[in-house]
Every structure is written in C-alpha cells, then in structure tokens.
Amino acid sequence: MDSQTSKSSQPSQSPQPSHTFQVDLRGLVDLLSHHLYSSPRVYLRELLQNAVDAITARRAEQPDAPARVRLYAEAGSLRVEDTGIGLTEADVHSLLATIGRSSKRAEGLEAARSDFLGQFGIGLLACFVVAERIRVVSRSARTPDALPVEWTASDDGSYTVRTLAPEARPEPGTTVHLVARAGAGEWLAPERVLTLARDFGSLLPYDVRVGEEAVTDLPAPWDRSYVSPAGRRVALARHCHELFGFTPLDSIELDVPLAGIRGVAYVLPSAVSPAQRATHRVHLKGMLLTERAEQLLPDWAFFVRCVLDTDSLRPTASRESLYEDETLAAVREALGERIRSWLTGLAAGDPERLAAFLSVHHLGVKSLARHDKDMLRTMLPWLPFETTDGRLSLEEFAQRHAVVHFTRTVEEYRQVAPIASAQGVGVINGGYTYDSELVEALPSVRPGTVVAELDADTVTAHLDAVDPVEELALSGFLAAARAKLDSVQCDIVLRAFHPLSVPALHLDDRSARHEQARAEAEEQADDLWAGILGSLRGSAPRARLVLNHLNPLVRRIASLGDAELIGTAVESLYGQALLMAQRPLRPADTALLNRAFLGLLEWATHGETPHGDPSHGDPSHGESAHGEDGR
C-alpha cells in the first residue's frame, strides 16, 4: 500500500515535446553590426572570403579550374561572381539558410578546411548589415548535371529557393547580388567597393577585379626581387609611406617559415611612449584580417609597426583580431627574436644606422635589455645615459670610473651632479625609465664593475672638511643657522668644495624625505593619529644644507653680528638651494621662502644696517672687502 502510494506520487516520466530556437534575423543583424563587427565595411570581406574559399575548394578537386573573382558595383547594388565550387539545391537549403553552419563542413571539404579563410559559418549573414535583400545564383562543379539554383533572402528572415534554366548560369560558380538597405547605399558605391576590395584583398592568391580594375598586387612587396639591398630599402620605405603614412628609419624582414609568416616591420621615425600599444596589419592567407592587431609583438617592441601575411594564426569570430593562444604566443616570441637579431646585426656591422636608431628609440632597447642579458652586453657600447661626464654609454662610463655611482631619481641627480662632477665623482642619472635597473645589472654582464647608489652621505664624504679651528670660530653662526632651519627638518653642515659659485647644497635621500612626510602628517593629525605616526618615527638622518666655506657670500653671512639677519640669510640660502635642486616645495618651504624674501627686502630698504656698519649696506664695498676672504 505504501509502495503504491509512493509510486503514484512520482511525476510523470513521459517524453516531453522538443522545440527549436526561433531566430529574429533583424535582431541578429543588429547584434552583428553593433557588437561583433566594428564597421559595415566587413561585408565586402565576407563576400571576398566566400568567393576565395569556393575557388580553393574547387581547385582541391580540379587543380586547373579557373580562379577569378569579379565585382560589379552600380548605384545601390553590387554583383560578385566567382568560379568556385558552386552549390546544389540541397547545399543551398543546408548551408545558406542555416545560421552558424559553414560550407567548409560540407562533405568532402572538412579535410581541406585549414586552407579556407572562413571558419565560423556566419557567411552571407554579414551582408545584411548593408543589404536588405540578397540573391544568390549558383551552379555546382561537383554535380555537372545539376541545374543552377537561385536563393533569395530578405532581412525579415524569409527566403525562397528555385531551380533555373541551364543558361542562367552556364559555368560552375556563384553570383551574389546585393540590394542596399536604406541609408547604406554608399557602401555599395563603385569607388567605395574598389577601395575596400584593394584594402582587404590586395594579397589574395587569385585574380580579383572590380570591373576592369585589378585588386590583387602580387607578389607582396617583401617577396619581390630588387636589384640591390638599397633598392629594396627604398621600395619598402615607399610601401610603408603608402600603407602607414610615414617614412621608416629602417625595415626589418619578418620571415618565419615555421610559423607560416612573411612580412616586414617598419621602424617608426620618431619616439613613442612605451605605454602606447602599437597596432599592426595582419593578413590571413592573403585576406586582410585586421589593421589593429596589438598583441602581435612583445611589449618592448613598441618602436615598430608590422605588416605580414600568415597561415597559422587563428582569428576571432569577428575576424577582426587574433585569438590569444599558444600559437600566437610562439609567433610573438619568434617575431621578437627576429627584431632582436636585427639589432644585434646593426651593432656588429652597421654602427651608424644603429646610432641613428638609438638616438630615437633607445627606450625600447633599454626595455628589452632589462630582461635580456645578451642584449644588454651587446648594447653596452651604444645605449646612451645622462652622466656627469656628458651623454655616454655604460661601457665608456665604467672605463672612466672605478665606481659607477648612480641616483634613482632625476631630482637627486640634479642635486648632486654639479658638486660631484667638481669633486671628480662620476654619477649616472638613473631617474629615467629603466636606467637604474640597467646600471644595477651592469656587474652581471661586466664582471668586476662596482656599482653604488649615490646618497647624501657619499656626497658629503667627498667634500673637504673645514679646519677645526675655523669651524669652532663659526660655532655661533652655525648654531643660529641650525636653530633657524630646525622647523623644516634640516641640519647645517659646513664644508669646502668647488665650484666656488655655489654657496649651499641641499642634500637628502628617500629615507629623509619619508621622515619629513611622516612628521608633516603627524603635525596635521588628531591626537590618535599623531600618536600612531609618532610611534613610526624613524632614525633616518634629516636633510642637510651644506654651506660652502669657500663661497664669499657664505663668509660674509657668517661674519654678520645680527642673529636675526643671519637667520634670514640662511633661510634664503636654503630656499635657493632647494630651487637649484629643482625639488618640489612643501608648504613649510614656501612659507620660509616668502618670509626670507620679505625680510631681505625690509633690510635692504633701511638707511643703514641693523648693526650700524654702513659697509654692509654697500654691495660693491662688501664684495670688494670679502673678495679677499674668498681668495
């Protein structure tokens, strides 16, 4: 009883009727035009693709079959004829009227599928982007006795099929007729059709014409024979200008047989940002796939633009970009190796061309050399760096200096470069993109090289100490100066250094700047955060203002008897040193500069100096008197 009750309560297991999806063709076309394809122009690529694939299929069975594609454009209509494999009535029902089914899946063609351009079965559907009606007349080459068949479709999703008399299509092949939809007539205009056909099909392997105008232009520029290497460079430069609109610095052959790639990379004539992704022109089996391929080359090769033909890369469904897979990764590495070999070849055999290239694109090579020790070793004599000895290569700089000092920022370099140079200390500006990384990598490719980051302590250590007796005599002045700059977290150091014209040098390092930022944040924080920030107080040295004891102005300030005037003068020296170092000013620094400037103006407008010595109010008198001290 319980068992029967249990069974009766189970849901029925009888088969349910199945249903098929209903496709709104107009909605699908809208989806294609707004989301899959970037422009209506792709309709012509699809027409050419179908025609070329049909010819390829026929030649697989009949190698001597004619290979022609003809396009005839008139106002508001287009006719495309090919000598391809053609279709039977059964093929028409099975292929043209079934969305998503490719003719390459038809019996007998699957094995040769890799030879075809189309892979996704979208086919003529793309033509509805510009046409309201499509008419196809086709005759099969596989079934000679089959009559021509006509397929007519509208963008509302309806279609008709009928057989025609033999004279409607005497020879095997297919003719496609398009009638433009409202507002899309321009896409079927003769001039536009010719332009699109040449853009998409210039490298196609068959005879393609728009009316009497040839579309194909074979062999490709990189496959042609030239009388000399110079003639080849000139011809490729002309091709680059026609294609991309610039005359290249040089051209790089891209011949990678294992990847099925032939083409050329053109070197840009002006510098570009590494962040700017270069776009490349890729043909797939002769048909233009995309003009905006971004992932074709390694990131470091941003200084070239490529045009190539491939039979190995896989397109996305829209056929407007490349599918990221292992094949593309291998091709990217192979093309990068080709460009790398070109650079190595220039270094070995054509230093003038290499120098011209590096004067524009050294950043790209530096980016490569960061991760490629062989490239860094090869480029050591060539890559330019800003140094205290001028613009030199790392190799030349390392030959001049036992220790290769460098700074990590441009600001630090600006601080120390004049002083370090005068003291005989060589410094490389590592503040530019990739430079500090390459300097630090120098010992790995040049054994025995000593590399050291230049900090404030190193600079101070290279400056001459002042005689202890003289420094003791100036202790009052130094104490007043230190007290004045304590509010901006800066110490005072007295040294003697060249050039004499520099009265003061502002030195700090990243740890000192970090401590300054922490102290400023602590001052502005509430009690809770002030306590937390206070607990983070570090022991890093503060910034320092190094006063030049050899400078006449510093000596005159040190001889002043007025503590307030000394403080104002020291604040002025501090501000001037900051400006010379091109450091960004903090609010406290700006306030100090304003205060010092106004203080000096007030002092200069008095009739006599605060301590009654008229000589201090006469600049020319003071210069003469203290010029003796300076000597």
Side-chain angles (χ1 to χ4, degrees):
M1 180 68 178
D2 292 339
S3 173
Q4 292 176 352
T5 304
S6 174
K7 289 181 180 179
S8 64
S9 64
Q10 296 297 317
S12 172
Q13 300 298 316
S14 60
Q16 298 296 312
S18 62
H19 303 278
T20 59
F21 285 100
Q22 300 300 311
V23 177
D24 180 350
L25 187 57
R26 285 178 176 170
L28 188 56
V29 169
D30 183 70
L31 181 67
L32 290 175
S33 61
H34 289 92
H35 299 284
L36 183 63
Y37 296 131
S38 62
S39 166
R41 69 197 297 267
V42 299
Y43 89 90
L44 194 66
R45 183 195 63 201
E46 296 296 331
L47 288 173
L48 288 176
Q49 167 189 302
N50 288 344
V52 169
D53 283 347
I55 294 173
T56 301
R58 184 176 181 186
R59 284 206 156 184
E61 301 179 6
Q62 305 171 16
D64 59 347
R68 298 187 305 273
V69 181
R70 296 290 183 266
L71 296 89
Y72 302 95
E74 299 175 359
S77 66
L78 175 66
R79 185 173 86 256
V80 181
E81 299 179 353
D82 67 65
T83 57
I85 194 69
L87 301 172
T88 64
E89 183 175 357
D91 292 335
V92 167
H93 284 289
S94 174
L95 302 175
L96 297 188
T98 304
I99 295 172
R101 178 176 296 177
S102 171
S103 62
K104 269 64 74 177
R105 294 188 179 91
E107 182 181 355
L109 299 185
E110 184 68 28
R113 182 178 170 130
S114 62
D115 294 330
F116 299 129
L117 299 173
Q119 302 284 325
F120 297 98
I122 297 176
L124 289 176
L125 190 62
C127 294
F128 280 120
V129 173
V130 298
E132 67 177 7
R133 188 169 71 256
I134 302 174
R135 177 170 167 258
V136 177
V137 177
S138 187
R139 185 165 189 170
S140 175
R142 280 204 216 94
T143 312
D145 296 336
L147 294 173
V149 60
E150 177 191 70
W151 176 82
T152 304
S154 299
D155 61 1
D156 62 3
S158 63
Y159 72 92
T160 61
V161 178
R162 62 173 181 154
T163 56
L164 303 177
E167 56 269 18
R169 178 83 201 192
E171 299 295 330
T174 300
T175 302
V176 179
H177 303 260
L178 300 185
V179 176
R181 66 170 54 250
E186 61 170 310
W187 293 105
L188 274 61
E191 299 81 6
R192 177 64 66 89
V193 169
L194 178 60
T195 298
L196 292 178
R198 284 177 172 169
D199 200 28
F200 284 119
S202 62
L203 301 184
L204 289 174
Y206 305 132
D207 179 16
V208 181
R209 296 176 182 271
V210 176
E212 299 300 321
E213 298 286 341
V215 168
T216 51
D217 185 19
L218 296 176
W222 51 84
D223 286 329
R224 296 173 188 169
S225 298
Y226 299 92
V227 294
S228 66
R232 182 179 185 84
R233 281 199 295 271
V234 170
L236 289 178
R238 186 184 307 113
H239 174 249
C240 176
H241 193 274
E242 293 171 355
L243 203 61
F244 295 124
F246 66 85
T247 301
L249 281 179
D250 207 345
S251 55
I252 307 169
E253 301 286 338
L254 300 179
D255 186 5
V256 189
L258 292 178
I261 285 178
R262 287 285 296 150
V264 61
Y266 293 115
V267 181
L268 294 167
S270 56
V272 293
S273 167
Q276 178 180 332
R277 299 283 298 197
T279 55
H280 310 287
R281 188 178 175 95
V282 178
H283 295 257
L284 180 61
K285 302 181 183 73
M287 180 74 76
L288 177 66
L289 178 68
T290 178
E291 299 174 284
R292 299 185 299 275
E294 294 185 352
Q295 66 273 49
L296 189 64
L297 295 181
D299 290 341
W300 55 262
F302 53 83
F303 50 84
V304 298
R305 290 194 67 182
C306 298
V307 54
L308 55 84
D309 188 25
T310 176
D311 59 14
S312 63
L313 296 179
R314 178 183 171 192
T316 59
S318 68
R319 293 181 44 78
E320 294 185 285
S321 60
L322 298 172
Y323 189 83
E324 185 67 50
D325 56 11
E326 293 181 358
T327 302
L328 179 57
V331 166
R332 183 162 48 234
E333 180 61 31
L335 295 180
E337 182 58 38
R338 185 65 195 87
I339 297 173
R340 192 182 286 112
S341 299
W342 170 77
L343 286 169
T344 304
L346 286 187
D350 201 338
E352 290 186 1
R353 284 170 67 197
L354 178 63
F357 166 75
L358 290 177
S359 67
V360 179
H361 295 300
H362 56 273
L363 205 57
V365 181
K366 287 180 177 180
S367 175
L368 169 61
R370 288 183 306 154
H371 308 294
D372 189 325
K373 292 297 187 290
D374 290 336
M375 181 56 63
L376 177 58
R377 188 180 294 107
T378 301
M379 290 294 144
L380 274 180
W382 307 102
L383 287 175
F385 288 77
E386 182 180 358
T387 79
T388 48
D389 294 349
R391 199 159 180 81
L392 299 176
S393 68
L394 286 181
E395 177 67 28
E396 188 174 358
F397 187 86
Q399 290 174 354
R400 295 186 183 188
H401 299 278
V403 179
V404 178
H405 287 103
F406 73 99
T407 63
R408 291 194 181 276
T409 68
V410 174
E411 291 80 6
E412 290 172 351
Y413 180 81
R414 297 284 183 260
Q415 281 182 319
V416 303
I419 308 305
S421 179
Q423 311 308 310
V425 179
V427 184
I428 295 176
N429 183 357
Y432 296 115
T433 307
Y434 311 132
D435 283 9
S436 61
E437 296 176 69
L438 293 176
V439 174
E440 289 182 297
L442 188 56
S444 68
V445 296
R446 196 178 188 275
T449 303
V450 179
V451 173
E453 183 176 354
L454 190 68
D455 56 19
D457 290 333
T458 304
V459 176
T460 305
H462 279 83
L463 305 180
D464 294 334
V466 177
D467 183 87
V469 176
E470 293 188 55
E471 188 167 4
L472 182 61
L474 296 174
S475 59
F477 159 70
L478 294 175
R482 290 187 179 109
K484 198 66 177 178
L485 294 187
D486 185 66
S487 63
V488 289
Q489 305 293 313
C490 184
D491 290 334
I492 294 290
V493 178
L494 187 65
R495 291 289 187 271
F497 57 88
H498 292 273
L500 299 180
S501 58
V502 177
L505 176 65
H506 182 271
L507 294 176
D508 65 357
D509 52 28
R510 283 181 301 281
S511 58
R513 290 196 293 275
H514 177 75
E515 179 62 19
Q516 288 177 350
R518 187 210 58 77
E520 290 177 2
E522 182 180 356
E523 290 178 1
Q524 300 173 7
D526 56 27
D527 293 342
L528 174 60
W529 280 110
I532 294 174
L533 292 170
S535 67
L536 298 177
R537 182 179 295 111
S539 59
R542 303 199 300 177
R544 66 199 71 175
L545 184 68
V546 183
L547 300 178
N548 188 359
H549 187 56
L550 301 180
N551 180 267
L553 177 61
V554 172
R555 290 198 172 204
R556 288 202 298 275
I557 294 173
S559 68
L560 295 174
D562 187 291
E564 183 178 347
L565 185 56
I566 287 176
T568 301
V570 169
E571 286 180 330
S572 299
L573 290 177
Y574 172 81
Q576 188 264 353
L578 277 182
L579 295 175
M580 290 298 294
Q582 301 181 24
R583 294 298 309 278
L585 299 181
R586 300 169 296 160
D589 297 330
T590 303
L592 179 146
L593 272 173
N594 289 336
R595 183 170 63 247
F597 178 71
L598 294 175
L600 289 177
L601 280 180
E602 176 139 0
W603 172 77
T605 54
H606 282 135
E608 58 181 23
T609 60
H611 57 294
D613 183 356
S615 67
H616 291 284
D618 184 353
S620 61
H621 183 112
E623 186 67 39
S624 174
H626 294 287
E628 293 293 327
D629 294 336
R631 290 192 295 272

